[in-house]
Amino acid sequence: YYGRWTYKWEIAHKLGCAAAFIVHDSERAGYGFDVVKASWGCENLFLSGDCQHAQAEGWLSGQAAARLFRLAGADFAALKEDAQSPDFRPITLPLKVTIDIQSTIRRFTTCNVLGKIEGSDPARKDECIIYCAHWDHFGKVIDADGKVNIYSGAADNASGVAAVLAIARAFKALPEPPCRSILFLFTTLEESSLLGSRHYVEHPAMPLPRTTAVINCDSMNLWGRTRRFVSIAEGHSSLDEILARHAASQGREIAADPEPEKGYFFRSDHLEFLRKGVPALFALNPGEDYIGKPTGYGEEKRRYYLENDYHKFTDKVKPDWDLTGIVEDAQLLFLTGLDIAQSDDYPLFKESSEFKVMSRSCSVAEVG
């Protein structure tokens, strides 16, 4: 989490910075500066009463940062390399900047949407698992030519919403509800710094110490069945073993995030739950080893999506979508959640997870 831009702005405020600018690295982030402009070059959203920000926050492209440092007689690339060392200390550039911001404040109300299936066991119905998907995207955006573009967000994240709705129907169709309660949480403002999930964890429908796990669906597999399900959260909790067991029942395997350096694990709503000590699973990557497709097919589809459709108005339903993949993945996540909901045990963080220090095991003991 230390590497995420959200942390950098949090620590800038904590240390009393007047302004903070983040230099975007397209290669390490996995998307270009055009995505940054689409996300931040318009109205920015904050929770009412949230003042945990510097007076000015913004972004610089890598090229702009290099030019800025050259003006100061410094080498940005060399300093960036030096900053990888624990011995690095910040330097002061012989430059000054004046920032004049004219802000217009618009207040509005938006909503998380929540459904609940109450557990059948009187002793455990006050415990729950959460299936989560964000329903927001970017709405209507007016480009430089005055054209209105509708950002539909078909993959990101109508696909996740569809998966959670299908899973909800599957739970509802069971002869009897599972022992623990199941919550289906559709969050707002995920695309605006996870504001919907941040609000939820501060005002949960059921106590977080009794929330055993979160299964987050964001941009699902839309290109066919795979032999391997990519679990972005692999390695963080005992949920791994439950997921792998049910994948094996489908004749499939679990694969870890192939690009952990891009920080996908920290980019969606489950992060706010992790920070409160709730273990999570995260479905994002379309998967590996596509059945009946050539080697590298999944990587090719994912790369095309990131370059052409991610956070763009072109994220629409495509004629080449093969929904057998999302169906099989939704079945896997349903079986995994059902197992957790029926178990006597609480999932636990692994020793290697940075979120283990936030484990709510003490809170669980306090509540009974």
Side-chain angles (χ1 to χ4, degrees):
Y1 183 62
Y2 172 80
R4 301 300 301 143
W5 58 266
T6 48
Y7 174 84
K8 298 180 189 304
W9 280 350
E10 288 169 10
I11 203 68
H13 167 76
K14 182 179 179 180
L15 296 177
C17 292
F21 289 86
I22 295 171
V23 179
H24 177 72
D25 185 326
S26 296
E27 182 177 354
R28 291 182 65 85
Y31 53 82
F33 195 66
D34 58 331
V35 173
V36 176
K37 290 191 290 185
S39 302
W40 295 99
C42 54
E43 182 180 51
N44 292 180
L45 305 181
F46 305 92
L47 290 176
S48 179
D50 179 11
C51 299
Q52 306 300 306
H53 298 274
Q55 295 178 59
E57 296 173 340
W59 297 78
L60 296 170
S61 67
Q63 295 88 339
R67 291 197 300 270
L68 180 67
F69 276 64
R70 281 198 299 272
L71 284 173
D75 186 330
F76 174 72
L79 286 169
K80 183 179 177 182
E81 183 67 28
D82 291 344
Q84 304 302 312
S85 169
D87 299 328
F88 177 78
R89 294 295 179 269
I91 66 169
T92 299
L93 300 179
L95 298 173
K96 291 185 177 181
V97 60
T98 298
I99 301 173
D100 184 17
I101 300 176
Q102 301 297 322
S103 296
T104 299
I105 306 299
R106 179 174 71 94
R107 298 185 182 276
F108 66 95
T109 299
T110 182
C111 296
N112 291 326
V113 180
L114 186 69
K116 177 183 177 182
I117 296 177
E118 187 170 272
S120 58
D121 184 347
R124 283 186 284 172
K125 68 179 183 180
D126 291 334
E127 301 172 351
C128 72
I129 72 167
I130 295 177
Y131 284 92
C132 180
H134 71 89
W135 63 260
D136 67 306
H137 200 54
F138 291 102
K140 297 179 180 179
V141 178
I142 303 175
D143 64 19
D145 298 325
K147 180 182 178 182
V148 177
N149 293 311
I150 298 176
Y151 283 61
S152 304
D156 180 16
N157 184 35
S159 67
V161 170
V164 173
L165 286 172
I167 291 168
R169 293 191 187 102
F171 272 103
K172 194 67 177 176
L174 292 173
E176 181 182 47
C179 296
R180 290 184 170 122
S181 294
I182 313 294
L183 298 186
F184 304 96
L185 174 62
F186 302 93
T187 56
T188 184
L189 299 182
E190 188 269 357
E191 302 290 6
S192 298
S193 305
L194 318 182
L195 296 185
S197 54
R198 187 186 308 175
H199 178 81
Y200 178 87
V201 299
E202 296 298 335
H203 307 87
M206 297 182 70
L208 290 184
R210 290 188 177 272
T211 302
T212 59
V214 170
I215 299 176
N216 184 24
C217 298
D218 191 348
S219 302
M220 304 295 286
N221 171 22
L222 301 168
W223 297 292
R225 296 176 59 210
T226 64
R227 296 182 179 87
R228 306 181 79 194
F229 176 89
V230 174
S231 176
I232 302 296
E234 201 275 336
H236 280 271
S237 74
S238 59
L239 295 172
D240 293 346
E241 287 68 36
I242 302 173
L243 183 68
R245 184 166 65 249
H246 292 289
S249 73
Q250 295 180 320
R252 306 168 76 198
E253 297 178 344
I254 299 300
D257 183 358
E259 299 177 299
E261 72 281 358
K262 290 184 168 59
Y264 292 117
F265 181 57
F266 305 96
R267 293 189 188 182
S268 193
D269 286 319
H270 61 283
L271 176 64
E272 296 299 331
F273 290 90
L274 289 168
R275 296 176 70 183
K276 296 292 186 180
V278 181
L281 290 174
F282 182 29
L284 175 74
N285 188 288
E288 294 182 351
D289 195 1
Y290 275 72
I291 296 173
K293 302 295 183 181
T295 301
Y297 177 82
E299 291 80 358
E300 177 186 336
K301 285 293 184 182
R302 185 163 172 272
R303 183 168 55 252
Y304 180 91
Y305 170 75
L306 289 172
E307 291 176 357
N308 297 279
D309 297 327
Y310 176 62
H311 284 192
K312 298 180 175 67
F313 70 89
T314 53
D315 187 358
K316 313 285 188 184
V317 175
K318 305 292 185 180
D320 67 337
W321 282 7
D322 178 351
L323 301 186
T324 57
I326 187 174
V327 168
E328 193 166 43
D329 288 354
Q331 290 170 341
L332 171 59
L333 297 176
F334 164 74
L335 293 171
T336 300
L338 179 61
D339 193 330
I340 300 165
Q342 298 288 62
S343 174
D344 292 330
D345 300 325
Y346 269 69
L348 300 173
F349 283 100
K350 295 182 177 179
E351 292 295 330
S352 58
S353 174
E354 65 188 276
F355 294 99
K356 188 179 187 305
V357 296
M358 301 170 185
S359 174
R360 73 276 150 92
S361 58
C362 293
S363 297
V364 172
E366 291 168 4
V367 298

